[in-house]
Amino acid sequence: MQIGVRKEIQANEKRVALTPTSVSKLKKLGYQVVIESEAGQASTYPDQMYIEAGATVVPREQVYQADILLAVNPLERDEVALLKEGATVISFLYPAQNTELVTALQEKNITSLAMDMVPRISRAQAMDALSSLANIAGYRAVVEAAAQFGRFLNGQITAAGKIAPAKVLVIGAGVAGLAAIGTAKNLGAIVRAFDARPEVKEQVESMGAQFLTIGHIEQQKTNDGYTRSTSEEFDRKSAELYAAQAKEVDIIITTAAIPGRKAPLLITKEMVDSMKPGSVIIDIAAATGGNCAYTQAGQVVTTDNGVKVVGYTNYQSLLGNQASELYANNLVNLLSLITPEKNGQYQLEQSDVIVRNMLVTLTDGEKGQASLLYPPPPISVSAAPKETAKAAPAKPQVDAKTLARKLIWQTVGLALAFLVYLYLTSFLPASFVADLNIFMLASVLGYFLIWNVHSALHTPLMSLTNALSGIVVIGAIYQVSSVEFGVLAKLLALIGVFLGGLNIFGGFAVTHRMLSMFIKKDKDQGGK
């Protein structure tokens, strides 16, 4: 089969569906690749690189006659008419918003797979183009925010004075949000984050950011990895949080988007008007309506109080080279999945949840019109733990006969041991027997004393060692102060006191160092 790659026609679009490296991989799968002239020029991939990788550079019209057309953005209506009937299109499609495009694909009997419909399951991560490009968008959003902010993000102490670090609020801790958090944190900013999904709290905190909460309101749990609409009470509480944070932070980055719907409005005009002059809002969701009331798609709006609201919609395209590379890898991984024989012939097995979820239309030779397979059946991929009732632990059943037999044997054993002890000690001096009795009682008492030491501030090993060393020190001090022992015994006892004390203080020192490894110093509070 032949794979065609067109040049993206959208304004300011620098991405391309395939890179020269990915062409070589598709050749190994048995496919032939044709690419439109200068398709990769904007992403710094000239035609010669594609030719050397094994692709054929052709005019635009010939690309549409390929068996499989790969693209980044959804096709235009007039492009569908140029496709070969029965062909396959793999690109971002957004079928919920582009219903007319889906209808046109059906009428042309085209099979289409939407790269924006890759399910968020572990096996599909290598094909998740939304995550790949969202990672780039989050990184580029922070870079843009730093450029628009016009000040250091990190705090500095110079001869001229102290510069406080910038405070950044990231709303939405998905892939883009986490990338923004990591980038802002690496640049030295104080980062705070909020998300409706409770399962991302640990991820946010692991990156060194503060995860904000809204008190007693239970945050949203999803079963497919995407944010859904929230309740009115949740929206009210979160709005109060945003309003309070807007007065404190310098930069707000919003990433909240709901698949198939307009982006939710999170930052109102009143919130923006309360921000400090020179503050910046980066609205990554500007392409679907924006999360800020001042957002205008593709523009930078400066409010009356000097706040810049950036509504760029092409953050991924601003890093066209790397964005193309990641997206091309996603396509290659998908084609590797559906081409198991590596013979240049793909197989769309609907039993595979990845393929079924991505299929929007499927060619039907008998009807002459493609079947509509959107929306796909729901799948559950949530990381949120399921709430299950904990079963009460079963009480162990005690067998009365077994217990009685055990007590009888223990009593008999103790009696025999006591008789043997009396017989043996009858041949020993009385003074030695007295010392032996004290030694045995001390051993029993010491055993229970040592093993009951609480290990709240030590490791269990350190707790037992220090307890045992403490008993040794007490015994050695008794030997030193006694008048019944000679100089040699007192010298040995003194050495015992020193070594026991050394072990105790060394145990505390080692424990302190171990605990210090787990204490994270907060730079924002001067390391206290």
Side-chain angles (χ1 to χ4, degrees):
M1 283 188 171
Q2 189 179 73
I3 292 178
V5 179
R6 66 160 191 179
K7 180 179 180 180
E8 300 297 319
I9 61 176
Q10 284 73 12
N12 300 321
E13 180 58 75
K14 298 180 180 180
R15 292 173 293 177
V16 63
L18 285 185
T19 62
T21 303
S22 58
V23 169
S24 302
K25 296 177 181 178
L26 293 180
K27 296 281 288 184
K28 294 179 181 179
L29 293 176
Y31 292 105
Q32 300 297 319
V33 181
V34 296
I35 185 167
E36 182 182 351
S37 178
E38 298 186 351
Q41 192 70 36
S43 52
T44 66
Y45 294 118
D47 291 346
Q48 186 59 34
M49 293 183 67
Y50 287 100
I51 295 174
E52 293 174 356
T56 304
V57 177
V58 298
R60 186 175 185 83
E61 295 76 13
Q62 191 172 338
V63 171
Y64 291 102
Q65 296 306 305
D67 301 300
I68 303 174
L69 179 66
L70 302 181
V72 179
N73 295 291
L75 272 63
E76 302 292 338
R77 287 291 302 272
D78 56 351
E79 290 183 281
V80 176
L82 301 176
L83 295 173
K84 181 174 68 174
E85 186 173 353
T88 299
V89 174
I90 304 177
S91 70
F92 283 106
L93 189 55
Y94 307 107
Q97 294 98 317
N98 297 324
T99 54
E100 293 184 1
L101 174 59
V102 173
T103 302
L105 292 171
Q106 277 187 275
E107 295 174 351
K108 189 68 175 182
N109 198 24
I110 301 297
T111 296
S112 59
L113 290 90
M115 292 301 293
D116 51 285
M117 295 292 294
V118 176
R120 288 194 168 175
I121 59 178
S122 298
R123 192 166 60 88
Q125 287 182 353
M127 307 158 220
D128 191 354
L130 282 177
S131 295
S132 298
L133 298 180
N135 182 44
I136 293 177
Y139 169 85
R140 188 58 178 79
V142 176
V143 174
E144 186 65 33
Q148 297 287 347
F149 187 49
R151 290 171 50 196
F152 289 134
L153 290 190
N154 64 320
Q156 293 190 9
I157 299 177
T158 67
K162 181 179 179 181
I163 299 175
K167 297 179 180 179
V168 178
L169 171 64
V170 179
I171 301 177
V175 177
L178 291 175
I181 291 170
T183 306
K185 194 66 181 178
N186 290 338
L187 291 176
I190 299 174
V191 185
R192 304 166 183 172
F194 178 78
D195 195 285
R197 295 163 295 184
E199 55 264 33
V200 303
K201 180 177 184 292
E202 292 183 357
Q203 301 176 37
V204 170
E205 293 178 343
S206 68
M207 302 183 74
Q210 177 187 1
F211 186 80
L212 303 177
T213 59
I214 51 177
H216 68 283
I217 303 299
E218 182 180 358
Q219 299 190 48
Q220 186 191 52
K221 297 181 181 179
T222 64
N223 65 348
D224 62 355
Y226 292 93
T227 305
R228 298 299 178 194
S229 298
T230 51
S231 65
E232 293 183 2
E233 185 179 9
F234 182 91
D235 293 341
R236 180 176 59 82
K237 287 289 185 179
S238 58
E240 294 175 359
L241 174 67
Y242 302 150
Q245 290 295 318
K247 298 176 182 179
E248 298 182 18
V249 300
D250 302 296
I251 297 172
I252 298 178
I253 299 175
T254 63
T255 68
I258 301 175
R261 296 181 56 183
K262 185 179 182 295
L265 179 63
L266 305 178
I267 307 299
T268 63
K269 290 185 176 181
E270 290 76 12
M271 297 178 191
V272 179
D273 293 340
S274 69
M275 296 180 71
K276 295 174 288 187
S279 300
V280 177
I281 297 177
I282 304 293
D283 194 343
I284 298 181
T288 55
N291 300 137
C292 177
Y294 278 108
T295 297
Q296 294 186 21
Q299 298 183 28
V300 178
V301 176
T302 303
T303 63
D304 293 338
N305 62 324
V307 177
K308 295 182 179 179
V309 182
V310 183
Y312 293 158
T313 59
N314 62 334
Y315 289 105
Q316 300 94 332
S317 185
L318 292 174
L319 298 177
N321 183 280
Q322 289 182 317
S324 300
E325 183 179 355
L326 293 178
Y327 182 68
N329 288 339
N330 295 141
L331 289 174
V332 170
N333 292 329
L334 173 62
L335 289 166
S336 299
L337 173 69
I338 63 178
T339 317
E341 303 297 330
K342 298 183 180 180
N343 58 355
Q345 301 290 327
Y346 70 82
Q347 303 172 16
L348 298 178
E349 299 291 343
Q350 295 192 46
S351 58
D352 190 323
V353 65
I354 298 176
V355 175
R356 178 62 190 89
N357 214 73
M358 295 180 65
L359 274 172
V360 178
T361 58
L362 180 63
T363 298
D364 191 335
E366 297 180 0
K367 297 181 180 179
Q369 179 172 320
S371 302
L372 179 62
L373 300 181
Y374 178 83
I379 59 174
S380 179
V381 298
S382 177
K386 296 182 179 179
E387 296 181 357
T388 56
K390 294 183 178 179
K395 295 182 179 180
Q397 299 295 329
V398 180
D399 188 355
K401 292 183 178 180
T402 303
L403 180 59
R405 191 181 300 112
K406 183 178 180 180
L407 290 174
I408 291 173
W409 280 111
Q410 288 178 348
T411 304
V412 172
L414 288 174
L416 290 175
F418 182 70
L419 292 174
V420 171
Y421 174 76
L422 290 178
Y423 175 75
L424 294 176
T425 55
S426 63
F427 300 100
L428 299 175
S431 60
F432 180 81
V433 172
D435 290 340
L436 180 61
N437 291 336
I438 295 174
F439 173 76
M440 293 178 63
L441 291 174
S443 297
V444 174
L445 181 62
Y447 172 82
F448 286 103
L449 176 65
I450 292 173
W451 284 99
N452 282 312
V453 172
H454 195 266
S455 58
L457 298 180
H458 302 72
T459 64
L461 178 61
M462 288 295 177
S463 300
L464 298 178
T465 303
N466 282 7
L468 184 60
S469 299
I471 292 177
V472 171
V473 168
I474 292 174
I477 292 176
Y478 172 77
Q479 296 285 78
V480 171
S481 61
S482 176
V483 296
E484 300 177 1
F485 301 100
V487 177
L488 180 61
K490 291 185 177 183
L491 179 61
L492 292 176
L494 187 63
I495 295 175
V497 172
F498 173 74
L499 294 178
L502 183 65
N503 193 30
I504 292 173
F505 289 106
F508 278 104
V510 171
T511 302
H512 177 71
R513 292 196 62 181
M514 292 174 64
L515 294 176
S516 299
M517 294 172 62
F518 298 95
I519 298 176
K520 185 173 182 180
K521 294 183 179 180
D522 191 350
K523 296 180 181 179
D524 305 339
Q525 299 182 4
K528 296 182 179 180

